[in-house]
């Protein structure tokens, strides 16, 4: 059964996000995977359903793996997981016709403290599979959603074209990360020595209420920005789920979190 998150009034949603500087300063909050050492492996589960998406997924995993701190390893195709059910310690990468709900892509991270415990990246074929979009546009979205699952935010949210997939260029014409993104990853993952929340081979058991499908958040807050929306859901045990939405042009209805 699908659950819809009611819109929290924009008035209540005060943005605390400052304008991003041109140099690397675009971490997504303080969110990161707990890691023992660098470089670490992030397992990307390949739920991509078409050859086209699989090629884009492969390209993006290689692009992100150019980072000195991480290797993003895309699995062989796993078949359809349109719901994109999260699995502990891993990133699920999915595409599907998610409907005319207004969003092109969604990134979700589950958190214990500031540590990411699982993540998903979804691309909405209802829009992206149409002839209004090409592979460069599709890869821009995929690259950004996967980038979020590592703890990266946007370099810019104004719509300016910064030649990175972590921007909001209206033209969606930046399929790859840039040097600032790699630099930011190094800044985020400069500590190590932690008990890793990553699962490099198969899924680990997720700790935290946020990872349980039946759990309800006690608090949900929606922050609308110029080109994207962030939703923060808090659970009674302190765990959280955070969703970042990249919008297609047009109205912004409620977000299907299902
Ligand atoms: Zn840490
Ligand atoms: Zn985004």
């Amino acid at each position: 059964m699908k659950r819809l998150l009611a819109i929290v009034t924009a008035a209540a949603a005060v943005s605390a996000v400052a304008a991003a500087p041109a140099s690397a300063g675009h971490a997504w909050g303080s969110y990161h995977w707990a890691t023992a050492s660098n470089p670490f492996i992030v397992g990307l589960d390949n739920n991509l359903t078409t050859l086209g998406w699989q090629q884009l997924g492969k390209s993006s995993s290689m692009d992100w793996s150019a980072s000195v701190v991480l290797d993003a390893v895309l699995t062989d195709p796993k078949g359809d997981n349109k719901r994109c059910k999260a699995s502990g310690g891993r990133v699920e990468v999915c595409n599907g016709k998610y409907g005319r709900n207004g969003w092109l892509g969604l990134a979700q991270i589950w958190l214990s403290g500031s540590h990411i415990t699982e993540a998903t990246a979804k691309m909405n074929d209802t829009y992206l599979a149409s002839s209004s979009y090409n592979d460069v546009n599709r890869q821009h979205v995929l690259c950004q959603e996967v980038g979020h699952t590592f703890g990266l935010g946007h370099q810019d949210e104004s719509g300016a074209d910064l030649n990175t997939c972590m921007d909001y260029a209206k033209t969606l014409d930046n399929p790859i990360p840039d040097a600032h993104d790699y630099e930011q990853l190094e800044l985020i993952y400069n500590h190590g020595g932690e008990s890793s929340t990553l699962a490099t081979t198969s899924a680990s058991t997720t700790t935290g209420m946020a990872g349980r499908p039946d759990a309800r958040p006690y608090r949900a807050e929606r922050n609308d920005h110029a080109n994207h929306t962030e939703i923060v859901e808090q659970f009674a045990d302190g765990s959280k789920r955070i969703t970042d939405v990249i919008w297609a042009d047009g109205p912004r209805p409620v977000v299907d979190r299902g």
Side-chain angles (χ1 to χ4, degrees), residues 28 105-107 141 144-145 148 152-154 157 165-168 227-229 244-247:
W28 191 11
L106 277 192
V141 176
Q144 179 172 131
E145 303 312 346
H148 284 318
L152 288 177
H154 307 115
E157 300 183 336
C165 69
M166 301 312 292
D167 71 8
Y168 265 102
N227 293 296
H228 76 118
T229 293
D244 189 85
V245 185
I246 178 168
W247 295 107

Side-chain angles (χ1 to χ4, degrees), residues 32-34 115 191 194:
H32 61 284
W33 294 91
H115 286 149
H191 54 301
E194 300 174 319

Side-chain angles (χ1 to χ4, degrees), residues 236-258:
D237 65 345
S239 60
K240 286 184 192 170
R241 174 168 54 189
I242 307 192
T243 304
D244 189 85
V245 185
I246 178 168
W247 295 107
D249 287 334
R252 299 175 177 192
V254 291
V255 176
D256 173 8
R257 301 174 302 134

Side-chain angles (χ1 to χ4, degrees), residues 155-257:
Q155 284 197 30
D156 178 87
E157 300 183 336
S158 71
D161 192 336
L162 297 188
N163 293 310
T164 163
C165 69
M166 301 312 292
D167 71 8
Y168 265 102
K170 282 283 177 212
T171 41
L172 282 179
D173 57 354
N174 302 322
I176 59 173
D178 76 353
H180 293 313
D181 298 314
Y182 297 122
E183 203 180 309
Q184 185 64 57
L185 284 172
E186 286 183 62
L187 290 169
I188 294 172
Y189 291 103
N190 64 0
H191 54 301
E194 300 174 319
S195 167
S196 177
T197 48
L198 289 154
T200 51
T201 47
S202 56
S204 64
T205 26
T206 309
T207 51
M209 284 175 73
R212 285 185 224 141
D214 56 335
R216 296 279 181 277
Y218 72 87
R219 184 163 179 212
E221 186 180 300
R222 168 172 169 159
N223 294 324
D224 283 316
H225 303 278
N227 293 296
H228 76 118
T229 293
E230 185 181 82
I231 295 161
V232 180
E233 295 166 279
Q234 299 185 55
F235 294 80
D237 65 345
S239 60
K240 286 184 192 170
R241 174 168 54 189
I242 307 192
T243 304
D244 189 85
V245 185
I246 178 168
W247 295 107
D249 287 334
R252 299 175 177 192
V254 291
V255 176
D256 173 8
R257 301 174 302 134

Side-chain angles (χ1 to χ4, degrees), residues 44 48 52-62 74 93 142:
L44 306 182
L48 300 166
W53 273 121
Q54 274 159 27
Q55 264 153 16
L56 301 180
K58 221 173 272 173
S59 298
S60 276
S61 71
M62 282 166 58
L74 187 71
V93 184
L142 188 153

